[in-house]
Amino acid sequence: MAEELIRRTAAELAGALTRREVSSVEVTRAHLDRIAAVDGTRDADGVATGPGVHAFLHVSAESALAEAAFVDAARAAGETLPPLAGVPIAVKDVMTTRGVPTTCGSRILTGWVPPYDATVVRKLKESRLVLLGKTNMDEFAMGSSTEHSAYGPTRNPWDPTRIPGGSGGGSAAALAAFEAPLATGTDTGGSIRQPASVTGTVGVKPTYGAVSRYGLVALASSLDQAGPCARTVLDTALLHAVMAGHDPRDSTSLSDPVPDVVAAATTMDVSGMRIGVVRELHGDAENGSGYQAGVLRRFDEAVEALVDAGAKVVEVSCPSFTTALAAYYLILPSEASSNLAKFDAMRYGLRVRPEGVSDPTAEQVMAASRAAGFGDEVKRRIILGAYALSSGYYDAYYGSAQKVRTLVQRDFAAAFAEADVLVSPTSPTTAFPLGAKLDDPLSMYLQDVATIPANLAGVPGMSLPAGLADEDGLPVGVQILAPARADDRLYRVGAVLEAALRGRWGGPLLDRIPEFPPLGG
Ligand code: GLN
């Protein structure tokens, strides 16, 4: 029973809960047992030890079971409950959770227990979802492998020697390992879509402003967007509907109504839709574009599947996308260096006294705390950002990057005049081995080459499974992009593609995941 429960989709669980075939306590317990069986252990400092997925930094077993019992009681009393009431969910550790530790994968926030909930978390609670715990991530969401977490990496359930993507590798791995049916993520340059791509799951970055940023620990405020992660397109839509909506606490929050993403995910019709293949995001295996041959093969098949379903394919060109990555790695560090200035050891978080100083000044305490509390990647970006914003360099670097950002927006506008949605591989490669890119930040940054343009322009994007690459048997993701505020198109096209590809594979891609444990040492 428990094994069967953890394999169900959120939509299936919601149906069974509503019909009272199963209780939320049973569903929650099944997932907590799965976490206990496969997630592995952590030492007293919270650092991952031994084998295991290590998707979770914190598991709230007691409060999860209490909330589940509450939902069951309400249902038994005949209360009408929201659609996902009683379904468990994992929350990325970048979202503040009242009374539950929130570290953003950083030492500097060790032991911090927020006094308030992020708006997204509040909405999950109001919709009566059951919060299982907080998921691992690259420190302050900087990275594409979850290896920059101060608490040790998460492993990819498809192959425990490989990365689960980043920064939201914990959420994606929790889904792929059947530790949770739903999870949240944030995507500043690809942190929802790339982990989905390399774990064979589904992830959506909504339109900028569609989901409140209140209570998300900011990385780059003009790029950050929270979104849903799940194993199916429909489940992602159901969670999107819960997370999105106007929030007066976020000044960039959109005020228009949330598009009906759930209806779009069940329309199952793409006839006549124009699908734009972005030339600059397709690569060319022969000219060393960095796109793995097996990734391009699965992507091309996905496009064919859409044609078979009645869509029309057009090729579009977005020349600025080739410089988008460089612009992003100036804009992001600039904003991050400013956002992370608040971690000064004065009000909350880690405080370290400098060694050998008997009566340290506030500045000395700040310096010692930041030196000890931040990891190498965070320091690298703070330095890069401070440099890019310094007088004399501001116009040359930050100013030029903002101009590229405008060009990216124009290219999207032109492309969306010719196509209803755009498609590309999500990530140029499948999951790489742990450690492979740690000494080479630039090669790590290149993971985001196809996802970053959407963040620079604020348009929504989805990644869904396209199959397994022939050369390594690992998941490949296909990305769908839509115009701002047309998030429903992602779901309409994604649901048709998912159904067509499952028909070819004979079932969900995750049915092919090698059984575990064991999960590597
Ligand atoms: N991998 C990208 C980076 O390191 C994306 C980060 C994100 O989306 N949070 O910046």
Side-chain angles (χ1 to χ4, degrees), residues 92 136-149 153-154 156 162-173 185-199 219 328-329 381 426-427 430-432 434 444-445 447-448 451-452:
K92 188 178 181 183
N136 197 16
M137 54 184 284
D138 285 296
E139 186 174 9
F140 290 110
M142 299 182 191
S144 300
S145 69
T146 318
E147 293 167 292
H148 293 307
S149 168
T154 295
N156 191 323
R162 307 227 171 206
I163 59 106
S167 64
S171 282
T186 55
D187 190 311
T188 305
S191 285
I192 288 176
R193 290 164 287 159
Q194 183 257 4
S197 171
V198 301
T199 56
L219 170 54
Y328 170 88
Y329 276 100
R381 296 201 197 187
T426 307
S427 172
T430 56
F432 49 87
L434 287 158
M444 183 86 82
Y445 298 168
Q447 280 290 304
D448 306 318
T451 46
I452 275 171

Side-chain angles (χ1 to χ4, degrees), residues 66-416:
E67 172 58 17
F70 231 61
V71 173
D72 288 338
R75 191 148 2 231
E79 261 182 59
T80 324
L81 296 169
L84 291 175
V87 177
I89 186 165
V91 175
K92 188 178 181 183
D93 206 31
V94 71
M95 298 176 171
T96 57
T97 38
R98 185 190 164 116
V100 178
T102 300
T103 65
C104 298
S106 181
R107 276 267 155 254
I108 211 154
L109 282 174
T110 296
W112 184 53
V113 179
Y116 71 109
D117 280 328
T119 293
V120 168
V121 172
R122 176 175 59 76
K123 283 174 173 271
L124 298 178
K125 289 182 177 174
E126 284 170 3
S127 290
R128 309 298 299 269
L129 282 117
V130 173
L131 275 56
L132 293 170
K134 306 295 290 288
T135 57
N136 197 16
M137 54 184 284
D138 285 296
E139 186 174 9
F140 290 110
M142 299 182 191
S144 300
S145 69
T146 318
E147 293 167 292
H148 293 307
S149 168
Y151 305 100
T154 295
R155 295 171 187 278
N156 191 323
W158 285 86
D159 174 351
T161 68
R162 307 227 171 206
I163 59 106
S167 64
S171 282
L175 295 168
F178 299 96
E179 294 173 271
L182 295 171
T184 64
T186 55
D187 190 311
T188 305
S191 285
I192 288 176
R193 290 164 287 159
Q194 183 257 4
S197 171
V198 301
T199 56
T201 59
V202 184
V204 172
K205 181 202 93 74
T207 298
Y208 182 78
V211 176
S212 170
R213 287 186 298 106
Y214 178 78
L216 311 186
V217 179
L219 170 54
S221 311
S222 76
L223 303 163
D224 295 345
Q225 186 58 203
C229 310
R231 289 191 292 259
T232 68
V233 171
L234 176 60
D235 281 4
T236 322
L238 290 166
L239 182 55
H240 187 132
V242 170
M243 294 173 76
H246 179 67
D247 181 11
R249 286 178 158 150
D250 171 2
S251 62
T252 58
S253 171
L254 292 174
S255 52
D256 30 342
V258 181
D260 194 345
V261 292
V262 176
T266 47
T267 303
M268 301 313 269
D269 177 18
V270 292
S271 49
M273 278 186 87
R274 298 165 304 162
I275 311 288
V277 175
V278 186
R279 189 185 302 154
E280 289 76 9
L281 299 183
H282 186 265
D284 174 348
E286 281 105 66
N287 68 17
S289 64
Y291 285 85
Q292 195 177 313
V295 168
L296 293 179
R297 216 167 297 135
R298 291 293 90 84
F299 171 73
D300 291 343
E301 285 171 11
V303 175
E304 280 165 30
L306 287 171
V307 174
D308 291 345
K312 285 198 287 258
V313 170
V314 294
E315 195 190 42
V316 299
S317 177
C318 298
S320 68
F321 286 11
T322 54
T323 36
L325 186 94
Y328 170 88
Y329 276 100
L330 287 165
I331 293 168
L332 176 133
S334 298
E335 293 189 27
S337 69
S338 162
N339 275 327
L340 296 179
K342 63 177 166 282
F343 299 106
D344 58 5
M346 294 296 117
R347 283 160 296 206
Y348 58 94
L350 184 77
R351 180 178 293 174
V352 175
R353 290 178 71 90
E355 261 175 65
V357 187
S358 59
D359 197 8
T361 63
E363 281 75 12
Q364 286 171 319
V365 173
M366 286 179 201
S369 302
R370 286 167 68 87
F374 288 141
D376 288 348
E377 182 63 22
V378 172
K379 287 176 185 163
R380 186 179 293 129
R381 296 201 197 187
I382 290 174
I383 292 168
L384 190 61
Y387 180 79
L389 291 176
S390 58
S391 74
Y393 294 110
Y394 181 94
D395 286 338
Y397 296 118
Y398 186 75
S400 307
Q402 290 292 16
K403 286 178 189 158
V404 172
R405 189 171 190 170
T406 303
L407 294 178
V408 169
Q409 288 161 356
R410 284 190 197 156
D411 280 354
F412 266 120
F416 283 128

